[in-house]
Amino acid sequence: MKRPLRGALSSFALLTGLALAVSSCGFGGSKSDDADPNSLSFLAPVYSDGTKSEWDKIISDFQKQNPDIKVNLQTESWDSINDVVRTKLQSDSTTPDILNIDAYSSFATDGKLYPATDIVEQSVLTDIQPGFAKNASINETQWALPLFASTRTLFFNTDLFTRAGIDAPPKTWAELTDDAKKIQALGGGVSGYGLPLGSEEAQGETSIWTFGAGGNWSDGDKITIDTPQNREGVQAMKALAESGATQANPGATNRADVINAFIQGKIGMIEGLPPTIGQIAQKNPGLKYATAPSPTKTGEHVTLGVADHLMAFKKDGKKQAAIKKFLTYFYSPQVYAGFVKAEHFIPITNSGAQALAEDPVTKAFGATLPAARFYPSNNPKWGAAQGAIRQQMGTVAQGADPGAVLGKIQQAAS
C-alpha cells in the first residue's frame, strides 16, 4: 500500500478551535497536550503538494463543529516518516494519538493500538470494502482503518513508442526489455524504462516484478522473501538494469524522480500510480501517453496493490472519545470522498466508490484491484522486511547477487 501507496512532501499546520497557529516542525508551537483528552496529535505522510491544504480544511471544518477538540497535525515525507515514528514511539508523551502510515501490525501485536471498533462508529466499519478490512485485521480483529488504495499500471509515452517503431505496449518482461532498448537507442537523454530502486520505495517496484514471477511476500503467517519465484523476479529486474535500457544509476533512483522524468518526456515507460494522472495534467498536459497492464513473466495480469492505514494509539485510554469523533467525521462520505479525489487515489469505502464512480482515477484504476496483490501488512514482521528491501534492493542494480540480497532481507525479517 507506499506508500506506494505511496507511494509518495511538506510541513503541516497546527489548527486550534477558533484560532490558527502555524508551525513548520514538530506538532507545532502549541504542542499537543498529552494530558488533555481533547487534544489530539496526528502524524501523517505527505502524498502530494495539496495534502497540507486538504488536511487543513478537514481539520478546520471538524473543529468548527467540535470546538472543544484540537487536532494538532504534523506531516513528514515518506523518506523520513519511518525514522520519525521510531523516535516518537520511544515515549508515550511523544507518541502520536493518530498515525497514518502503511504497516500497522507490529504496533497491534505489541498492544499499543485501539481496535478499530473503538475508534470509529460501526457504520464506518461496515462501509469499508471487506478485502481491505481483512488486510487491516489480525486474528479476526481489525486494528487499522484503510485510508485509500493504490495500484500500479504501466504508463508509456506514445510519441516515443511511435519514434521507436513500437506498435503496442509490452505484455511480458521480454517484450518490455526489447521495447526499452529501442527507446533508449533514440538518444537525446531518453531512457527506455524508469527503474526506481532507491530507498524511497524500492519495495513497490520490486513487488511488481516478484508478483509478476508468481512470487509473494508471505505464506500464511510466515514472511517469505527468499523464494525461487522472488529470485526470478529480482533477477529479471537486475537484467533489465544491466541491459542499459533504464535511467542512470537505478539503484539510487527514487520513484518520484522517474515519475517526474516521465512527465517531462524523458522516459518511455514507468510503473505509475493513480496520482500520476493528475500530476501529468498539472505539469505537462500536452504529454501523449497511455496506460496498459503491468508486464509480467508470462503476460498474465498481476499488479501491486497498496492500502495505507490510519491507526490510533491507546496510551492511557483517555483520548478514545475525541479520536472516535474525528475519525468518524473523516470517514463520512462527503469528507472522505473529497480527500480521496483530491489525492487521486482509489476509495476503499462503498460510499466513496459510489461518490467517485465518474472520477477519472477511479475509472482508470478501479478495474485493476481484482488483479492486485498486497503487502502482508497484517504480519508484524513485514515492517522489518520492508525496511530491509528499501535499504538493500538497490544493490542488485550495482552488481549484487539477487539470492544473496533476498537472503539478507529474509534474515532481517526473521
Side-chain angles (χ1 to χ4, degrees), residues 389-406:
I389 294 171
R390 285 173 172 158
Q391 295 304 315
Q392 296 283 338
M393 194 54 67
T395 61
V396 302
Q398 299 160 354
D401 175 67
V405 172
L406 289 172

Side-chain angles (χ1 to χ4, degrees), residues 33-383:
D33 183 354
D34 202 53
D36 183 350
N38 287 322
S39 180
L40 303 178
S41 55
F42 180 10
L43 176 60
V46 175
Y47 291 96
S48 71
D49 292 341
T51 298
K52 176 185 181 300
S53 59
E54 287 301 315
W55 278 122
D56 265 336
K57 184 178 186 306
I58 290 169
I59 294 173
S60 178
D61 289 347
F62 170 77
Q63 292 185 156
K64 288 175 183 175
Q65 297 180 29
N66 301 272
D68 57 322
I69 299 175
K70 299 177 182 178
V71 180
N72 308 288
L73 189 130
Q74 172 187 355
T75 58
E76 295 286 344
S77 77
W78 278 109
D79 284 340
S80 61
I81 194 166
N82 289 293
D83 292 333
V84 173
V85 170
R86 279 191 290 270
T87 299
K88 288 191 175 294
L89 263 61
Q90 291 177 11
S91 167
D92 273 359
S93 64
T94 56
T95 294
D97 298 304
I98 303 170
L99 175 64
N100 168 201
I101 204 169
D102 44 7
Y104 67 88
S105 55
S106 61
F107 307 135
T109 54
D110 286 345
K112 294 180 179 294
L113 301 181
Y114 285 108
T117 51
D118 286 357
I119 56 174
V120 286
E121 297 291 347
Q122 185 62 32
S123 58
V124 173
L125 296 177
T126 56
D127 195 25
I128 294 172
Q129 296 176 28
F132 291 97
K134 183 178 180 180
N135 199 45
S137 302
I138 301 173
N139 296 328
E140 299 185 359
T141 297
Q142 185 174 339
W143 293 101
L145 301 169
L147 180 61
F148 39 50
S150 173
T151 56
R152 306 298 168 89
T153 199
L154 186 75
F155 281 65
F156 60 98
N157 184 309
T158 55
D159 271 347
L160 293 178
F161 265 50
T162 299
R163 288 175 54 199
I166 304 169
D167 297 326
K171 295 182 179 179
T172 66
W173 292 339
E175 292 172 353
L176 172 67
T177 301
D178 187 50
D179 291 347
K181 288 179 178 178
K182 290 177 181 178
I183 295 169
Q184 194 88 16
L186 295 174
V190 171
S191 300
Y193 181 83
L195 184 66
L197 296 179
S199 61
E200 177 195 357
E201 210 217 20
Q203 81 279 5
E205 182 72 22
T206 303
S207 295
I208 296 167
W209 292 78
T210 55
F211 293 168
N216 216 327
W217 296 127
S218 66
D219 182 8
D221 61 355
K222 296 180 180 178
I223 292 294
T224 53
I225 304 296
D226 190 10
T227 68
Q229 295 88 347
N230 289 347
R231 286 191 183 202
E232 188 172 12
V234 174
Q235 181 60 52
M237 192 169 63
K238 174 182 173 68
L240 178 62
E242 291 177 343
S243 74
T246 72
Q247 83 285 358
N249 200 10
T253 306
N254 286 332
R255 182 186 64 188
D257 299 323
V258 298
I259 291 175
N260 286 333
F262 178 83
I263 293 172
Q264 294 164 14
K266 294 295 186 180
I267 292 181
M269 295 175 282
I270 62 167
E271 286 290 338
L273 305 89
T276 307
I277 292 175
Q279 291 170 342
I280 293 171
Q282 179 184 18
K283 297 178 180 179
N284 188 10
L287 183 72
K288 293 182 180 179
Y289 74 98
T291 63
S294 302
T296 61
K297 176 186 175 182
T298 64
E300 181 182 357
H301 186 199
V302 178
T303 190
L304 167 67
V306 177
D308 288 344
H309 297 91
L310 288 165
M311 61 209 76
F313 290 82
K314 60 185 180 182
K315 296 189 277 188
D316 62 8
K318 294 179 180 178
K319 300 192 179 187
Q320 179 189 351
I323 291 169
K324 190 171 185 176
K325 273 191 177 182
F326 175 65
L327 292 178
T328 297
Y329 171 82
F330 172 70
Y331 279 99
S332 58
Q334 185 175 0
V335 175
Y336 175 73
F339 183 78
V340 175
K341 182 175 182 178
E343 294 290 2
H344 305 288
F345 284 106
I346 307 168
I348 52 80
T349 64
N350 294 316
S351 61
Q354 184 176 1
L356 297 175
E358 297 304 313
D359 181 71
V361 169
T362 304
K363 279 186 171 182
F365 281 85
T368 65
L369 285 176
R373 296 183 185 178
F374 291 83
Y375 301 133
S377 302
N378 53 1
N379 190 308
K381 294 183 178 180
W382 171 242

